[in-house]
Amino acid sequence: MRARSLLGYMTAALPQMLADLETLVRCESPTADLDAVAKSADVVAELGTARLGVRPERITIEGRTHLRWRLGDAPSRVLLLGHHDTVWPIGSLGRHPFVVEDGVVRGPGCFDMKAGLVMAFHAVAALSDPSGVTVLVTGDEEMGSPTSRWLIEEEASGCAAALVLEASADDGALKTARKGVSLYGVEAHGRAAHAGLEPERGVNATIELAHQVIAVGALADTGRGTTVTPTVLTSGTTTNTVPEVGRFAVDVRVRDAAEQARVDRAMYTLQPVSGGARLEVTGGPNRPPLEHTASAAIFARAVTLADRLGLATPVGAAVGGASDGNLTAGVGTPTLDGLGAVGGGAHADDEHVVVAELSGRTVLLTALTYDLLADPPPRGRACQLAGPVRPLQGDPS
């Protein structure tokens, strides 16, 4: 399809895209609610079938439904990846109804990332031959993809490129790099004693944790973009008892695999400071970084194609949040993220999508998919995590 006719096609399709987005947003799908996610999967499956002409494979793992469309008879070469779960609880539509006004769509989950799903379906539907495309829509990304991780990695391993339909960065930027994530728990074991009568007989877990919080925080490296953040901390049982046990969680974000390995080694070599105290460290790397090297080739194609199509030149952005794009890049698949909607307010009351950007973004996605099918990029090397995978509890983005 020629550039002008493709843009005209997507412009004409905009009312249908908005109607499809309304259908998805009106089906609330909080990630922790298995029944809601299952109902959402039904709606996404029907919508995808209507646009693509074939029904998806339904993959249910631990009660969570994921959808996969493998199109045509050719081996999968390009993976379009998204999720249909959201952070919004049932009833959010009552406070934040779906509306389109003044060129903006509002509604829970519209930006993150139901508009991206609509774009994926319409982009693939515009291809004269989608053979070799796989569309994978998961149902647990907002809680760290605990059941879909293996599915994503397996699917990406067989493809030459992954296009992730997460929402754009600020001002519509494509996400060319994402930090890797590691999660740890540090537990201090001391000895209980009466805080008023004989505190000297105790070993204070809270004091030990204070030493460790400072030591862990010092592992950050601002120059390399490494953040090491102690987060939730609990210790002790009653106000008049020397705490016997305490623990805190640690969130680590890194730009490269070497930093992820360095922090992991340091976490597991922490030593107690208080006499008689004992430390236990658990966890480790959860998602490898999506480094610039994983996205560079596809991003360059996106820039070239946008120029040919008369679209605004894409810009790239490195972001601290993680997505399933970290997983596809981690298995060595060239990955470009943030190809979804332009807007803002993800997870917030002002979540929104800019209507005027939908057609052009979908045109770029169509052209990029076509180009990658015709000339797949070489695969990179898989990223070896430094330790055991620890599922994220909560949104990694």
Side-chain angles (χ1 to χ4, degrees):
M1 186 178 289
R2 294 181 182 275
R4 184 172 298 177
S5 59
L6 179 57
L7 184 56
Y9 174 90
M10 286 303 173
T11 300
L14 183 58
Q16 184 63 64
M17 293 176 69
L18 292 174
D20 290 349
L21 181 54
E22 180 175 8
T23 297
L24 296 187
V25 171
R26 286 191 180 279
C27 182
E28 296 179 294
S29 52
T31 191
D33 188 327
L34 289 177
D35 289 339
V37 172
K39 291 176 183 176
S40 173
D42 291 340
V43 173
V44 174
E46 289 302 315
L47 181 59
T49 299
R51 300 293 159 258
L52 303 178
V54 293
R55 300 200 66 81
E57 179 183 0
R58 300 176 68 95
I59 303 167
T60 302
I61 307 169
E62 297 179 17
R64 293 195 168 274
T65 303
H66 315 294
L67 304 170
R68 179 171 62 195
W69 283 265
R70 284 180 174 161
L71 301 170
D73 298 324
S76 295
R77 300 195 300 280
V78 178
L79 172 65
L80 273 62
L81 179 61
H83 65 88
H84 66 100
D85 59 314
T86 75
V87 300
W88 294 90
I90 294 293
S92 296
L93 275 169
R95 300 186 303 276
H96 305 287
F98 179 91
V99 295
V100 183
E101 56 186 15
D102 299 326
V104 173
V105 176
R106 300 186 186 277
C110 65
F111 182 61
D112 183 15
M113 58 160 289
K114 293 187 175 182
L117 300 183
V118 172
M119 291 170 59
F121 292 143
H122 281 262
V124 175
L127 295 171
S128 58
D129 180 10
S131 184
V133 174
T134 293
V135 179
L136 179 61
V137 181
T138 64
D140 62 356
E141 193 274 347
E142 294 293 5
M143 63 189 307
S145 310
T147 68
S148 63
R149 180 184 185 122
W150 72 269
L151 180 64
I152 294 164
E153 292 178 333
E154 180 181 66
E155 201 65 41
S157 295
C159 289
L163 304 177
V164 184
L165 274 300
E166 289 285 355
S168 69
D170 292 345
D171 300 319
L174 302 178
K175 295 173 180 176
T176 53
R178 285 184 179 272
K179 288 186 178 182
V181 180
S182 299
L183 298 174
Y184 298 92
V186 179
E187 190 166 274
H189 296 262
R191 183 169 58 249
H194 195 290
L197 296 178
E198 44 188 10
E200 69 281 356
R201 295 190 59 184
V203 177
N204 195 314
T206 299
I207 292 176
E208 180 60 34
L209 288 181
H211 289 294
Q212 299 304 325
V213 164
I214 293 171
V216 167
L219 296 176
D221 187 332
T222 303
R224 298 195 65 173
T226 301
T227 60
V228 182
T229 308
T231 57
V232 178
L233 182 149
T234 61
S235 187
T237 53
T238 65
T239 59
N240 61 348
T241 303
V242 173
E244 182 175 19
V245 179
R247 60 190 60 84
F248 66 96
V250 183
D251 179 290
V252 179
R253 307 284 171 138
V254 297
R255 289 177 180 164
D256 59 74
E259 274 294 271
Q260 196 164 43
R262 177 188 69 82
V263 174
D264 190 70
R265 290 192 298 270
M267 288 296 300
Y268 277 93
T269 55
L270 291 172
Q271 296 297 319
V273 174
S274 308
R278 177 173 62 85
L279 292 180
E280 181 179 352
V281 178
T282 57
N286 175 273
R287 296 189 184 212
L290 192 172
E291 299 186 39
H292 285 289
T293 52
S295 65
I298 306 180
F299 179 71
R301 292 194 194 203
V303 171
T304 299
L305 290 167
D307 182 62
R308 291 178 187 170
L309 293 163
L311 302 173
T313 301
V315 296
V319 297
S323 82
D324 288 336
N326 292 67
L327 304 181
T328 60
V331 297
T333 303
T335 298
L336 185 59
D337 204 336
L339 283 157
V342 176
H347 302 187
D349 289 346
D350 64 337
E351 182 167 3
H352 65 279
V353 170
V354 178
V355 174
E357 298 284 352
L358 278 172
S359 295
R361 296 283 285 200
T362 309
V363 166
L364 180 60
L365 179 62
T366 304
L368 191 54
T369 303
Y370 177 86
D371 192 66
L372 291 167
L373 286 171
D375 182 19
R379 288 181 57 86
R381 289 193 294 178
C383 175
Q384 298 298 318
L385 291 176
V389 171
R390 180 180 174 86
L392 283 166
Q393 298 302 312
D395 176 27
S397 62

